[in-house]
Amino acid sequence: MKIRELSGNILAFTLLCLFATASCTGKEKKQPLPYYMELSFPNLAQSWDEGIPLGNAMLGALIWQKEGKLRFSLDRADLWDQREMKNLDFENHDFNWVKKQWEDKQYGAVQRQYDLPYDTLAGPSKIPGAALEFDISQLGEIASVKLDLQKASSEIRWKNGTLLKTFVHATEPVGWYRFENLKVDLLPEMVPPPYVGAGPSEALDPVSGQDLRRLGYPAGTLSEEENTITYEQEGWDGFRFQVNTRWEENGNQLEGSWSISSGKKGQEPSKLAEKVTEKAFNKGMENYQESHVAWWDSYWQQSSITLPDSLLQQQYYMDMYKLGAAARQGAPPISLQSVWTADNGKLPPWKGDFHHDLNTQLSYWPTYKGNHLSLEKGFLDWLNQHKPTFKKYTREYFDSNGLNVPGVTTLEGDPMGGWIQYAFGPTVSAWLGHHYYLHWRYSMDREFLKNEAYPWIREVAIFLRDLSVMDKDGKRKLPLSSSPEIHNNEARAWFDQMTNYDLALVRWTYTTASELALELDNPDEAEEWNTILAEWPDYAIDETGLMVAPGEPLKESHRHFSQIMAIHPLSLIDPSNEEKDREIIDNTIDRLDELGSSYWTGYSFAWLGNLKARAYDGNGAAKALRDFASSFVLPNSFHVNGDQSGTGKSNFTYRPFTLEGNFAFAAGIQEMLIQSHAGFVKLFPAIPEDWKSVRFEKLRTEGAFLVSAERIEGKVEEVIIYSEAGGVIPLINPFPDKAIEVQGNADIQWEENTLLISMLAGTEISLKLK
C-alpha cells in the first residue's frame, strides 16, 4: 500500500519502526519515537496506581517511588487466595430460595447470605507478590522517566548520568533491570507485602480494599545469599509462592533479573523462581531483550491506526500496549487489574477478581478488529477449562441442565457472591457466548466453530430453555430478571418481567444457535432454536427508546448501559435496518444524552463511544472518547472509575483502577474506522467532520479479512484487502463512483453500491480510483 504523509501527525519513523522490525531492535541508529509510542514524565510517580506498567499477562511490574526509594511492585496473575467463600450454600439457598425471599419481601435474608460475605470477608481474592526497592537517595535528581511502548521497556535517567533500563519479557516469566553509569553503590532490597503485623484493620470496603493482614497468613521468609534474595510466602490451604531476584555488579553497572513462581498444595513452587533467574543469567539480558523486542515488533505489526486527534491517538496506543501486556494464550484472563495488583497494603479494588457482567467482556472487545485473536483465545481457553465448574454451579444453584457462569469468579471459576442479581445472573454465559461467536466470525475457524463455539452456545440455549417459564400471555420469561446494575443491590433490582438486558442476551443466544446449527448442517436443531426464539417477548420500547423493563424507562443517569445490549454489542437492533431500527436507536441514545453523565464512571464514556460509532455519529463518538481520555485516566493511562479532571463530567470522583474502560476505549476507536457486524463492511463509518485525513492498516473484519485504508482530505485514496480464509467480502463502495482500478486477483460483482469481492484464501487486492 502506498502510504502518504497525513497532516501533522505522520512521522517518518512511524513506518520505519512500526512496520519494519529491523529498525526497532537497537541494531541501527536510534530514531525518535512518535509521540504516541512513548509515555514520558519528569519524575517517578508517588503512588502505585500511577506507576509505569510492564507485563506479559503472567508477570507484571509497576515502577514508582515510595518514601524516597525506587520501587518495583511485582505481581503474578495466579497469585490468589482461593479459600471457599463462606455462606455459598446452594443446597439450602438456591435460585428458587432467592425467588421466594423476594416474593415474600424478605430480601434482606438474601443480602445477608450472599452479599455481606463478599463485602466483609477478605478471601477469596487476588493477592500481591512483593516489591523490589532501590535506595536512590544518593543518585540525585531524576532527569526523565519514560515508557517505550514499541519495545515495552522503561528507562529512567538521572541528571548525574545514571540510567536504568527495565522490562518484563514478553513471553518468559522473568523481568530485568540494569543500572548503567552508577557512581554510588546500589543494591536491591526485597519487601514482602504486609500480610502480618499488629492486627487487622477494620476496613471492610471492597472498593478501597481490605487490609492484607485480614488474610491471616503466617510470616513469609526472606533469605539472602551472595547476589540473590528470595522471599517465600505461604497462603491459604498450602498455596505457596516464591519471589527471587539475583544480580551482578560489573564496574559501574548493576544488572539483575527477577521472577515469581507459585504452586498449590502438594505442588512445589519453591526454587522455581530461583531457577528461572539462574537460567536467565546463564543466557544473558541481551538475548532476552532481543526476543522480547521481536515479540513486541510482531505485536505492533498486527494492525495500526493514524488519527488527526493526538489525545485519542496516544490513548489508543497506550491501551493497545496494555492489551499486549495483559493478555496471552496460556495465561489467566484479564481480571479487574490484571498483573498490576494494588501495592498499598490492601487487597485490590473488588478483590481483583473476574467480573463477567461487563468487565471481562469489554476487556476483549479490541482483540477482534485489532487483529489479536491469539490473545483473545486465552480468555476462551480459560472458559473451556473451567466448564465443569460452571456446569456444577448451574446444577446446584439453578437446578438446571445446560451451562451458566457465575458473574463474579475466582481464578478457578468458582462463584464469589456479591450483588447476586449479577454475581449469579441467569444470562452471564450468554454474554460470554458472544465472544465465542465473534472469534468464529473474525477467524472463520471451522474446527473452533464445531468444537468450541457452537457447543458453548448450545449449552447456554439448553440452560435458558430449561430455566424459563411461561407467563400468563403464553410467552417465555426467566423466573427473575435483572439489568446490571440498575437499582444496585436492592430488592427492586429484580424484575418479574424480562428486562431488555436479559431479553437481548436470550434472543441473541437463540438467533445465533440457529445460525450456527445451520452452518454445521444441523437443520433440526436450528428449527428447535427458532421455535424457542419465537416464544420470547419483544423488547420493551417507548418514546425513550429501549426501556430497562416493561413499565420502567431509564429514569436517571446510570453508569451501566445494560438496557442497550440489543444495539451494542449484540447488533440485534442496528442502523443498517434503517426503517425498522433507526428510531429506536436514536431515541435510546437521546435518552442517555438527556439524562446526562452525572452518575457515569469511566467505562460508561468508552461504551458510549462505541454506541455512537455504531450509530454512525462520528462527532458524538469522538467527544465521548475524548471525555474518557481527558478525565477518567491516571497519568500512566490507567482507567479509573471517577472523574479526575475536576470538570464535573461525573459526580463520581474516586479512583479505583480497573482495565475494562481502557480496552472499551480502544474498541471505540476501531468502531469509528471500520464496521462489519451487519453483513457488509463499511469503511470510516463514524469519522468526525473535521477528520480529513485518517489511516488504518490491517484491521480485521468478520469473514477473516484484513483491511487497510487511507482517507486524505475527506476522500478514500486506496483500500487493500487480504483474505485469510477465502470467501466474499461485501464492501460498501468507499469511493465517489464506480470507476475503480483493481490490482490483484478477485471476482468482483456490483450489487447497487456494494462490491461483492470473492477472494481465495491467502490473496490480496488493492482498490483505487481510476
Side-chain angles (χ1 to χ4, degrees), residues 1-3 674 683 696-699 705-710 716-723 729 731 735 743 759 763-768:
M1 180 177 183
K2 184 178 180 182
I3 305 295
I674 190 169
L683 305 182
F696 63 82
E697 289 202 355
K698 294 193 290 187
L699 293 184
F705 297 94
L706 301 181
V707 180
S708 304
E710 185 175 19
V716 174
E717 293 286 318
E718 184 176 17
V719 179
I720 290 180
I721 303 170
Y722 174 80
S723 176
I729 176 171
L731 176 67
F735 301 105
Q743 295 180 354
M759 302 177 65
T763 61
E764 181 177 281
I765 64 167
S766 168
L767 306 175
K768 297 180 184 179

Side-chain angles (χ1 to χ4, degrees), residues 383-527:
L383 291 172
N384 290 336
Q385 177 187 353
H386 297 294
K387 236 180 174 181
T389 299
F390 303 147
K391 290 179 76 70
K392 178 176 180 289
Y393 156 76
T394 304
R395 289 191 306 271
E396 293 181 351
Y397 180 68
F398 291 101
D399 190 25
S400 177
N401 298 311
L403 175 68
N404 196 21
V405 176
V408 180
T409 68
T410 69
L411 177 68
E412 299 296 329
D414 292 309
M416 292 178 61
W419 294 358
I420 68 162
Q421 297 90 335
Y422 331 115
F424 298 161
T427 54
V428 174
S429 58
W431 194 350
L432 295 171
H434 189 235
H435 284 280
Y436 282 86
Y437 179 73
L438 292 177
H439 188 91
W440 149 244
R441 289 296 301 150
Y442 279 83
S443 70
M444 302 307 291
D445 181 342
R446 292 195 67 82
E447 288 300 307
F448 173 81
L449 167 65
K450 178 182 176 182
N451 298 323
E452 298 183 48
Y454 183 60
W456 180 281
I457 293 169
R458 181 180 183 275
E459 291 273 9
V460 176
I462 290 170
F463 165 70
L464 294 171
R465 178 196 66 193
D466 291 359
L467 182 68
S468 60
V469 296
M470 290 294 184
D471 68 13
K472 60 184 179 180
D473 297 323
K475 291 291 186 180
R476 285 185 184 266
K477 69 172 186 176
L478 298 173
L480 286 177
S481 185
S482 68
S483 187
E485 297 168 346
I486 300 295
H487 303 317
N488 297 328
N489 190 36
E490 300 174 42
R492 64 191 180 120
W494 286 115
F495 294 82
D496 63 358
Q497 295 297 311
M498 291 293 291
T499 64
N500 277 335
Y501 170 82
D502 280 339
L503 183 58
L505 287 165
V506 169
R507 295 187 68 86
W508 178 87
T509 295
Y510 287 107
T511 300
T512 304
S514 177
E515 174 190 330
L516 300 188
L518 285 177
E519 184 70 32
L520 293 170
D521 196 24
N522 193 337
D524 291 340
E525 287 197 0
E527 183 179 359

Side-chain angles (χ1 to χ4, degrees), residues 54 63 74 130 173 188 210 229 255 286 329 388 442 479 570 600 626 636 658 692:
L54 302 171
I63 304 168
L74 308 183
Q210 299 181 35
I229 306 174
E255 181 173 301
E286 296 298 332
Q329 195 164 10
Y442 279 83
L570 299 180
W600 292 5
R626 284 188 62 84
N636 63 355
T658 57
K692 301 302 181 183

Side-chain angles (χ1 to χ4, degrees), residues 133-135 177 184-189 227 229 247 249 254:
E133 285 192 342
F134 300 86
D135 186 349
Y177 53 88
V184 298
D185 292 333
L186 190 68
L187 293 175
E189 302 173 61
N227 288 14
I229 306 174
W247 65 90
E249 298 173 273
L254 171 72

Side-chain angles (χ1 to χ4, degrees), residues 338-413:
S338 187
V339 289
W340 301 299
T341 300
D343 183 13
N344 59 357
K346 297 181 178 182
L347 297 175
W350 296 284
K351 306 187 180 185
D353 55 33
F354 300 93
H355 270 53
H356 304 299
D357 69 336
L358 177 146
N359 303 78
T360 55
Q361 289 94 330
L362 271 61
S363 292
Y364 288 92
W365 278 358
T367 61
Y368 303 103
K369 290 187 179 72
N371 196 23
H372 293 293
L373 295 186
S374 63
L375 302 189
E376 175 262 357
K377 190 58 169 59
F379 183 32
L380 302 184
D381 289 347
W382 181 83
L383 291 172
N384 290 336
Q385 177 187 353
H386 297 294
K387 236 180 174 181
T389 299
F390 303 147
K391 290 179 76 70
K392 178 176 180 289
Y393 156 76
T394 304
R395 289 191 306 271
E396 293 181 351
Y397 180 68
F398 291 101
D399 190 25
S400 177
N401 298 311
L403 175 68
N404 196 21
V405 176
V408 180
T409 68
T410 69
L411 177 68
E412 299 296 329

